[in-house]
Amino acid sequence: MKSDQAAIMASLRRHLAPFVERAYAPYSQKKQAVILQLSDGSWVAGSRVENASYSLVIPAAINAFSTAVAMGRKDVVAMVASDPIEREDMLYLERAMGVSVSLICEDVLLLGTARQLLKPTEPLIPYYPVNIQRREDGLRSAGFAAQQALIPESYFPVGCVVLSKDGYMWPGCNVESSDWQRVICAERNALGTAITYGFKNWSVMYLSCPKDPSGTPCGACRQVMIEFAPDMELVMDRGLETPFVIKVRDLLPFSFTGDTLKSEGTSF
Ligand code: THU
């Protein structure tokens, strides 16, 4: 391997380290993260985000890819992972991008025609400072997020934005795969981004389902949301009607909590 490639790899692994730390893995202790490199050398990260119900885990690669898609970017050229890359993640990226992937070492892969890692440029920042006062403005942003949905399976776009108490906003949209078990909803996409990028004080999620003005979060998203943000307010677009507003905890009463599953001393 050429020395510049070794230096690039080392630099991407250094960028990866804080995202491994942010992984939420109180059930398995498998703190994992990946960085996806985009065609201009920029990059985006995704951390592993577990959930008490185990099967709703957001794997790091799906978390990173869905964050990129919500930012309007699908031009992934490489992935650097904190752990040896598993076959499932290779297949996921192959299906999502419609190209083949090649491992250049156990924790780095290239996609499609990419022959080498690019020198990393600025990271993609998947959140913005905002000052949203009116519900219409939050819902309009959720509608814009829905326009980024990757929906070759359902043609059913969903978008959301989450606001933090300190004035940041991050988007989520649904990102589909021909492997339906790897489809991620808009809400979980946004939550995965928040955890990866270190946001904890979430105040409100605006949600837009342009093809179904009576849409509400699916059970899987409710389960994941309640673990991280039971007090978050959800504001759902109802088209010409008044938005429907409810707290996450009221959407999923008597929910399953992982309290007795977690290792001691871990909390969100
Ligand atoms: N979907 C969401 O994004 N959020 C929900 O709460 C319900 C469902 C997505 C998943 C899939 O891409 C499509 O809508 C059809 O279920």
Side-chain angles (χ1 to χ4, degrees), residues 128-265:
Y128 318 86
V130 284
N131 181 11
I132 289 183
Q133 303 291 349
R134 299 179 320 155
R135 286 194 168 140
E136 305 89 273
D137 297 332
L139 289 172
R140 192 171 314 111
S141 299
F144 287 139
Q147 290 176 13
Q148 301 299 342
L150 184 61
I151 42 176
E153 300 294 313
S154 70
Y155 305 103
F156 183 80
V158 185
C160 68
V161 291
V162 182
L163 265 57
S164 67
K165 290 185 186 130
D166 48 355
Y168 285 90
M169 174 180 97
W170 57 95
C173 59
N174 50 336
V175 176
E176 296 186 342
S177 165
S178 55
D179 174 357
W180 284 17
Q181 287 186 304
R182 298 201 155 226
V183 168
I184 185 162
C185 292
E187 299 91 318
R188 278 177 287 156
N189 180 352
L191 300 198
T193 305
I195 292 164
T196 299
Y197 286 88
F199 290 101
K200 292 193 173 175
N201 50 354
W202 315 344
S203 60
V204 52
M205 176 186 279
Y206 293 94
L207 190 56
S208 163
C209 242
K211 286 194 177 168
D212 178 6
S214 62
T216 64
C218 74
C221 288
R222 293 178 195 206
Q223 177 67 35
V224 173
M225 285 193 284
I226 206 150
E227 184 153 338
F228 298 107
D231 294 315
M232 182 170 72
E233 192 175 70
L234 279 166
V235 180
M236 297 172 223
D237 200 356
R238 289 290 176 259
L240 297 175
E241 309 289 315
T242 312
F244 181 54
V245 184
I246 190 168
K247 272 197 172 189
V248 167
R249 67 167 75 256
D250 297 324
L251 261 187
L252 194 63
F254 309 109
S255 65
F256 176 62
T257 71
D259 294 349
T260 54
L261 294 167
K262 280 183 192 165
S263 315
E264 258 172 61

Side-chain angles (χ1 to χ4, degrees), residues 4-153:
D4 65 327
Q5 282 293 291
I8 289 173
M9 233 178 246
S11 140
L12 284 167
R13 288 190 185 117
R14 265 196 311 280
H15 289 315
L16 184 56
F19 298 102
V20 178
E21 275 319 297
R22 288 206 198 107
Y24 178 74
Y27 306 107
S28 73
Q29 315 307 321
K30 277 193 224 156
K31 283 190 170 241
Q32 297 176 333
V34 304
I35 275 181
L36 294 179
Q37 187 163 58
L38 306 173
S39 61
D40 57 359
S42 64
W43 54 273
V44 64
S47 306
R48 175 180 170 93
V49 176
E50 296 182 350
N51 175 267
S53 58
Y54 285 20
S55 63
L56 297 175
V57 59
I58 307 174
I62 296 185
N63 198 356
F65 184 65
S66 58
T67 298
V69 172
M71 296 296 294
R73 300 290 297 264
K74 300 181 196 81
D75 52 324
V76 181
V77 293
M79 179 167 93
V80 178
S82 59
D83 292 83
I85 296 172
E86 293 190 8
R87 189 77 203 123
E88 287 83 351
D89 287 339
M90 296 174 67
L91 266 176
Y92 173 73
L93 288 172
E94 284 185 339
R95 288 181 163 136
M97 301 283 303
V99 295
S100 56
V101 305
S102 47
L103 276 180
I104 56 169
C105 57
E106 63 173 12
D107 58 345
V108 181
L109 63 74
L110 298 176
L111 283 98
T113 54
R115 289 285 158 263
Q116 54 181 19
L117 290 169
L118 305 171
K119 196 170 184 301
T121 60
E122 290 300 300
L124 197 66
I125 305 291
Y127 51 87
Y128 318 86
V130 284
N131 181 11
I132 289 183
Q133 303 291 349
R134 299 179 320 155
R135 286 194 168 140
E136 305 89 273
D137 297 332
L139 289 172
R140 192 171 314 111
S141 299
F144 287 139
Q147 290 176 13
Q148 301 299 342
L150 184 61
I151 42 176
E153 300 294 313

